[in-house]
């Protein structure tokens, strides 16, 4: 499970770095297409960390729930 979290974190960092670079490049270009791409890039720069936070929160919640179910089932067996 730790490997999955590390891979997800590394992918998130790489994705954010790419989005920041794209945002910078689109901000420096002067065309209507670049302005549209800039707006999309800024949106994804906000959306990706929020989605990663939701994913990690759900992962923690499911892991805690699984541990509680395991401890409850081991107590009922005794």
């Amino acid at each position: 499970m730790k490997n999955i979290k590390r891979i997800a974190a590394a992918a998130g960092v790489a994705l954010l770095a790419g989005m920041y670079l794209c945002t910078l490049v689109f901000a420096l270009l002067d065309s209507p297409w670049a302005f549209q791409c800039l707006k999309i890039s800024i949106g994804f720069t906000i959306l990706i960390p929020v989605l990663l936070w939701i994913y990690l929160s759900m992962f923690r919640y499911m892991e805690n729930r699984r541990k509680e179910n395991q401890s409850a089932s081991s107590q009922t067996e005794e």
Side-chain angles (χ1 to χ4, degrees):
M1 289 297 186
K2 286 187 178 186
N3 287 338
I4 293 172
K5 288 172 69 174
R6 286 182 184 175
I7 291 170
V13 167
L15 196 57
L16 280 175
M19 291 305 300
Y20 292 146
L21 181 64
C22 288
T23 303
L24 178 66
V25 169
F26 293 140
L28 296 175
L29 296 177
D30 188 27
S31 72
W33 174 80
F35 183 69
Q36 287 297 106
C37 290
L38 174 65
K39 291 193 299 187
I40 293 168
S41 181
I42 290 172
F44 278 126
T45 301
I46 295 168
L47 185 66
I48 289 170
V50 170
L51 290 176
L52 286 173
W53 178 79
I54 291 170
Y55 168 75
L56 290 174
S57 296
M58 290 301 296
F59 183 81
R60 266 188 248 121
Y61 172 76
M62 297 301 280
E63 191 170 320
N64 288 339
R65 188 170 175 174
R66 182 180 54 86
K67 287 179 184 176
E68 288 174 4
N69 286 340
Q70 285 178 349
S71 65
S73 64
S74 66
Q75 288 176 357
T76 57
E77 289 175 3
E78 294 174 1

